[in-house]
Amino acid sequence: MTQMASMQSTICIFSLFLTLHFLSPSLANAYSSTPTSPDTICDSTPFPFFCKSLLPNNQSSTIYDYGRFSIHHSLERTSNFLSLVNGFLRLKYGLSQPTIRALEDCQFLIGLNIDFLSSTIQSIGSTNILQSSQAEDTHTLLSAIMTNHQTCSDGLQATTPSSSIQNALLTPFYDGNKLYSVSLALFRHGYVPQTGKGRWLAQRESVFSKNGHLGLKMSSQEDRKVYESVSGRKVLQTSVGGGNVKVSEMVTVSKDGSGNFSTISDAVAAAPNKTDGSNGYFMIYVVGGVYEEYVSIAKNKQYLMMVGDGINKTVITGNRSVIDGWTTFNSATFAVVGQGFVAVNITIRNTAGAVKHQAVALRNGADQSTFYDCSFEGYQDTLYAHSLRQFYRQCDIYGTVDFIFGNAAVVFQNCNMYPRLPMQGQFNAITAQGRTDINQNTGTSIQNCSITAAPDLATSNGTTQTFLGRPWKQYSRTVYMQSFMDSLIDPAGWIAWSGDFALNTSYYAEYNNRGPGSSTASRVTWLGYHVITATDAINFTVSNFISGDDWLSATGVSYTAGLT
């Protein structure tokens, strides 16, 4: 992610109108199954004029019919956009390596969008009724489509400014963005319930034991013996949550050749493709050691569980950076897309250093993914919570500028955040959330975490300012609740990105935090900043914000469902 934002016009009054209009609880009920003119329907979207030019105007239909039409049209446009990108990649002559990499990112991201749109079409079919979990899943996919599209654009803008490629892709990009936004708005107003969900003030401790070990249900006694012998830990038979984590198969990675594989990537390649998790996780046990490799969990490698020997014992490390010609997206040491991924007891590093600017340790675009007792180490852009639904528990995150960023729906719970010493003249911003559309169900929720200075910052005797976050995109959304903030946090709390960009349209909130840096007395006075009550904070809990009750139990990771 770059330090500069592309400015967007016509923000304040119109955006505030949209905010109020879209959050109206009566909107979905008003449109429901009643035939309505395109003009009326389109007025509820962020791009009414584009919407009216898109929808058939010679008849009245229901919001469901309009939504299906728009999503089908989105799939057609996306396929055409992919063909255009593929054409540029076939003609690589004269293109710089960073430009080629940005186009390859687009190729990958657009491919995901085709999958997501196809899945959406299959889900809604001809039905006007979805179960709440189905509606949430589809809402998540449509939100991720916009994120993928924006990521493609960001990469191209950073690597090919004022180029023929930019000019050729400009119109398809902006039209695609409007089309996805209209599709998302129509779906949300038609299918997504406007009422709260989940249990209030609930807590759940799942299938980790009191001493923090996984309860595993192994597929064979042989697997159990292997696990116990290589890890030195006993696999528990009972658990607080009343069940065990189901494991279908286990392999071991060891650098000395004593395991099934000597590299993590080879173990990932051996995992089965396109599993649904019903038979349990494919477990990769990574023996302690430093693994200098770039690991990628592809979209067809689903329900993998990777377990190491502990933070700073099992270490995966790389040093790619934007300065060295990589895009932010593909600078990651560890990248995961496969649904249902779980990682436990692992450190992931990017050692490029502060002078190399954007350099990602983890990039996560895996739906319903979980990281427990892991550490992420970098400087600028350490943890890229890119898209979809994610959960982090008891993790350590080190960085400087925007070191937790992206546009996932993500909850960090009981984690430690360690701002480090940045380059001279830089400030620290813990978060840079990337929500671009008011209808996306994304944001960063930080609950019961601890923010203290990393050792290099604590002993620097300098004047580095550290902020809770800044608005990377128009509708940036970040909430800190029930967390400890040490004195390193600047009294203003938050810092602008560029001028008044997104200060009125973002949503930044704090609830019941503690520590010397938690006072809200001198916080920013932006329209988008709020000190909230439990009534609002409950919306950003595991149960409500990422529907964690539906999927976290299977991971074996303990979690608090509501407020504590």
Side-chain angles (χ1 to χ4, degrees):
M1 186 187 52
T2 62
Q3 292 263 25
M4 296 183 61
S6 56
M7 298 302 295
Q8 301 181 29
S9 59
T10 62
I11 296 174
C12 296
I13 296 176
F14 180 61
S15 295
L16 290 174
F17 164 74
L18 290 177
T19 302
L20 296 172
H21 191 47
F22 285 174
L23 295 180
S24 169
S26 62
L27 206 51
N29 294 333
Y31 290 142
S32 63
S33 57
T34 305
T36 310
S37 70
D39 285 357
T40 301
I41 287 289
C42 287
D43 283 342
S44 70
T45 71
F47 299 101
F49 297 109
F50 178 86
C51 176
K52 292 170 187 177
S53 70
L54 170 70
L55 299 181
N57 58 11
N58 57 349
Q59 60 185 29
S60 292
S61 298
T62 67
I63 193 168
Y64 306 106
D65 295 327
Y66 290 129
R68 280 187 284 269
F69 178 89
S70 181
I71 291 167
H72 275 280
H73 200 59
S74 295
L75 179 58
E76 180 183 346
R77 288 281 188 92
T78 304
S79 298
N80 292 339
F81 192 45
L82 179 58
S83 297
L84 189 58
V85 170
N86 287 339
F88 281 115
L89 283 172
R90 282 193 297 269
L91 302 172
K92 293 183 179 180
Y93 179 76
L95 298 181
S96 68
Q97 189 62 43
T99 297
I100 292 171
R101 286 172 176 158
L103 286 167
E104 289 172 344
D105 289 351
C106 288
Q107 186 182 55
F108 173 76
L109 292 160
I110 297 167
L112 289 178
N113 281 355
I114 289 175
D115 292 344
F116 293 167
L117 286 164
S118 298
S119 178
T120 297
I121 289 170
Q122 185 176 6
S123 294
I124 61 177
S126 58
T127 184
N128 296 347
I129 300 175
L130 292 178
Q131 295 180 352
S132 60
S133 61
Q134 292 176 306
E136 181 65 22
D137 290 347
T138 305
H139 191 185
T140 297
L141 292 182
L142 291 172
S143 295
I145 287 167
M146 294 203 70
T147 301
N148 291 341
H149 193 67
Q150 184 65 51
T151 303
C152 166
S153 173
D154 288 346
L156 288 173
Q157 288 182 40
T159 59
T160 59
S162 303
S163 72
S164 58
I165 292 178
Q166 279 276 41
N167 293 334
L169 296 178
L170 191 63
T171 298
F173 170 75
Y174 283 114
D175 285 351
N177 187 63
K178 293 175 184 177
L179 183 54
Y180 296 145
S181 179
V182 167
S183 297
L184 175 60
L186 295 178
F187 176 84
R188 179 172 178 258
H189 294 325
Y191 286 94
V192 178
Q194 298 296 308
T195 57
K197 59 182 179 178
R199 54 178 69 87
W200 286 70
L201 304 177
Q203 293 185 355
R204 171 175 296 183
E205 292 301 320
S206 189
V207 298
F208 265 85
S209 71
K210 289 295 186 184
N211 61 3
H213 293 168
L214 274 167
L216 296 173
K217 183 177 181 182
M218 310 302 284
S219 60
S220 70
Q221 288 299 316
E222 184 62 29
D223 279 344
R224 184 179 303 281
K225 291 177 182 177
V226 170
Y227 179 83
E228 291 180 0
S229 65
V230 299
S231 71
R233 306 191 201 110
K234 183 175 178 59
V235 180
L236 303 178
Q237 296 301 305
T238 60
S239 66
V240 175
N244 290 320
V245 177
K246 189 175 181 182
V247 175
S248 61
E249 184 179 353
M250 194 197 80
V251 297
T252 301
V253 178
S254 180
K255 292 190 57 140
D256 63 8
S258 62
N260 303 99
F261 302 95
S262 58
T263 70
I264 299 169
S265 296
D266 285 345
V268 171
N273 295 330
K274 298 182 179 179
T275 58
D276 61 7
S278 59
N279 293 323
Y281 290 96
F282 182 89
M283 178 176 160
I284 300 172
Y285 168 64
V286 186
V287 176
V290 178
Y291 296 81
E292 297 180 5
E293 57 177 301
Y294 296 94
V295 178
S296 179
I297 314 296
K299 64 181 180 181
N300 63 334
K301 300 294 182 179
Q302 299 169 345
Y303 297 98
L304 268 63
M305 177 177 285
M306 190 173 294
V307 180
D309 272 333
I311 290 175
N312 293 330
K313 294 180 180 178
T314 297
V315 179
I316 306 169
T317 184
N319 62 0
R320 290 174 177 170
S321 69
V322 167
I323 293 298
D324 287 336
W326 301 89
T327 63
T328 300
F329 186 80
N330 61 33
S331 69
T333 299
F334 195 107
V336 55
V337 179
Q339 182 173 351
F341 179 77
V342 180
V344 182
N345 296 337
I346 294 172
T347 290
I348 300 171
R349 290 178 181 154
N350 190 313
T351 61
V355 296
K356 293 299 181 74
H357 296 282
Q358 299 96 327
V360 175
L362 170 71
R363 190 193 81 228
N364 186 3
D367 196 25
Q368 299 180 343
S369 54
T370 306
F371 287 79
Y372 175 82
D373 202 18
C374 291
S375 181
F376 310 98
E377 300 176 11
Y379 287 86
Q380 183 172 344
D381 291 3
T382 302
L383 196 162
Y384 195 173
H386 181 261
S387 56
L388 302 168
R389 293 166 290 192
Q390 308 177 15
F391 180 63
Y392 299 78
R393 172 89 174 192
Q394 290 178 214
C395 292
D396 298 337
I397 307 113
Y398 295 80
T400 56
V401 180
D402 308 333
F403 65 92
I404 299 172
F405 75 112
N407 195 26
V410 56
V411 176
F412 293 89
Q413 196 172 84
N414 294 35
C415 292
N416 300 306
M417 295 161 186
Y418 296 111
R420 305 176 81 167
L421 183 65
M423 292 192 299
Q424 187 173 2
Q426 285 187 324
F427 56 81
N428 288 330
I430 297 171
T431 65
Q433 207 281 327
R435 185 167 170 252
T436 61
D437 192 280
I438 199 168
N439 287 303
Q440 288 179 305
N441 62 352
T442 55
T444 298
S445 175
I446 297 172
Q447 182 185 16
N448 198 33
C449 293
S450 175
I451 305 167
T452 56
D456 60 348
L457 181 62
T459 60
S460 66
N461 296 319
T463 57
T464 299
Q465 290 178 288
T466 297
F467 299 93
L468 298 174
R470 59 181 185 150
W472 179 27
K473 300 295 182 182
Q474 187 76 64
Y475 294 98
S476 180
R477 180 161 63 176
T478 301
V479 177
Y480 285 83
M481 51 193 188
Q482 302 176 316
S483 294
F484 174 81
M485 301 176 182
D486 212 344
S487 57
L488 78 164
I489 299 300
D490 190 275
W494 308 81
I495 187 169
W497 184 277
S498 179
D500 62 356
F501 172 75
L503 302 187
N504 295 330
T505 53
S506 294
Y507 183 89
Y508 288 137
E510 297 181 54
Y511 166 72
N512 200 25
N513 297 303
R514 61 194 184 278
S518 66
S519 172
T520 59
S522 299
R523 289 296 197 246
V524 295
T525 57
W526 309 337
L527 193 61
Y529 172 73
H530 311 271
V531 177
I532 58 176
T533 65
T535 302
D536 294 318
I538 195 73
N539 294 313
F540 299 96
T541 58
V542 167
S543 181
N544 288 332
F545 196 49
I546 58 173
S547 302
D549 293 327
D550 296 339
W551 55 276
L552 276 173
S553 293
T555 69
V557 173
S558 59
Y559 70 95
T560 301
L563 299 173
T564 55

